Amino acid sequence: MQPNQYTSKELQTKIVTLLEDLKAQDIQVFNMSESAAIAEYIVICHGTSSAHLNGIQEHVYLTMKKEDSILPLGVEGVKEQTWILMDYNSVILHLFLEEERQFYQLEEIFSKSERDSNVAIDVNNSNS
């Protein structure tokens, strides 16, 4: 598929599949298309260790680059390996260590926005 042939939903689905490939934990997808958000989808998950987090980030980055010629607009937090943000324009991916995820509780922020027609979708279980 050519880079511009993905819809936002298809891109989100592709990213979630890549996360599932490497056993990312508790993947949550928030549909932000009805709000004034900077992205149509926000994807949040966590890894079991810094090495796992780094592996997930590299897998998403390299697979999207190799298979679809898609590079993120930006990647932040790779050096720290506790919270990595990957900006794919219409989809923003937040990769956390579990402790960081619990501390920042981004799901709480986005779930409050659900009243404005945003929907959180639990696409897998952390016990998978």
Side-chain angles (χ1 to χ4, degrees):
M1 188 172 271
Q2 295 301 314
N4 295 327
Q5 289 184 322
Y6 275 122
T7 66
S8 296
K9 176 66 175 167
E10 290 167 338
L11 181 60
Q12 174 267 126
T13 301
K14 169 88 177 196
I15 289 171
V16 167
T17 299
L18 295 173
L19 296 173
E20 291 172 334
D21 288 348
L22 287 189
K23 308 287 189 223
Q25 303 293 296
D26 193 20
I27 302 169
Q28 299 285 318
V29 177
F30 294 86
N31 182 339
M32 306 299 289
S33 62
E34 298 297 318
S35 71
I38 59 172
E40 289 190 47
Y41 292 95
I42 304 290
V43 180
I44 303 172
C45 66
H46 67 267
T48 57
S49 66
S50 291
H52 186 213
L53 202 63
N54 189 53
I56 294 168
Q57 180 270 324
E58 285 184 353
H59 180 65
V60 172
Y61 181 90
L62 294 174
T63 303
M64 296 295 289
K65 179 181 176 182
K66 180 179 178 183
E67 292 181 2
D68 303 301
S69 301
I70 298 174
L71 293 173
L73 298 176
V75 179
E76 300 291 334
V78 174
K79 184 176 179 183
E80 296 83 5
Q81 293 186 347
T82 59
W83 178 2
I84 300 172
L85 182 143
M86 301 179 78
D87 183 350
Y88 281 96
N89 195 22
S90 63
V91 179
I92 295 178
L93 172 59
H94 294 273
L95 306 168
F96 285 100
L97 285 180
E98 186 171 12
E99 303 80 36
E100 292 287 309
R101 183 178 186 174
Q102 290 173 356
F103 179 79
Y104 288 105
Q105 299 182 0
L106 290 186
E107 288 92 340
E108 291 297 316
I109 295 168
F110 296 123
S111 67
K112 289 177 184 173
S113 297
E114 283 179 29
R115 287 173 247 169
D116 296 326
S117 302
N118 298 323
V119 180
I121 307 162
D122 182 3
V123 294
N124 76 347
N125 226 332
S126 61
N127 297 328
S128 306

